[in-house]
Every structure is written in C-alpha cells, then in structure tokens.
Amino acid sequence: MGNYITAADARAFRVQGSVVDLVGYADTDIDTDIELAESIIESITGDVFYSNSVTAYLDGNGLSEL
C-alpha cells in the first residue's frame, strides 16, 4: 500500500468529472504501481513527502559519517 494514495483513492479519482476506469486492474496491481511510482519519485528527489520518523544513533566523534 502506498504512502500517498491507495487503490481505493485511485478508483475514486475523477478527471473532468468522470471516474477513471480501472475495472481491469486488481487492487494489488494498482498498489504495486503506486509503490513503484513512489520509489521513483523518492529516489529522484532524495526525499519523502509524508510523515516518516527515523532514529539516528550517533557516537559523538565529530565526523560527518557514521
């Protein structure tokens, strides 16, 4: 499942007032494509656009690398 949109959101999406026809796609197919698109966007931008917590453990040696 994606972080930005779900298969249900994609099925409900409207373009110029008409729902996009995704009847031929299973939710798992849509989720796979969403995850692929997200990974491409995140790798190109080097950032994520959702709440993401990361814990960093640093040893305090003053170096910029772990």
Side-chain angles (χ1 to χ4, degrees), residues 3-24:
N3 296 300
Y4 305 104
I5 187 173
T6 64
D9 294 333
R11 290 186 187 283
F13 185 71
R14 294 179 177 268
V15 176
Q16 296 181 351
S18 299
V19 175
V20 177
D21 182 18
L22 297 175
V23 174

Side-chain angles (χ1 to χ4, degrees), residues 2-3 5-7 10 29-39:
N3 296 300
I5 187 173
T6 64
D29 296 330
I30 295 171
D31 285 335
T32 300
D33 291 341
I34 290 169
E35 290 172 9
L36 174 63
E38 287 181 3
S39 68

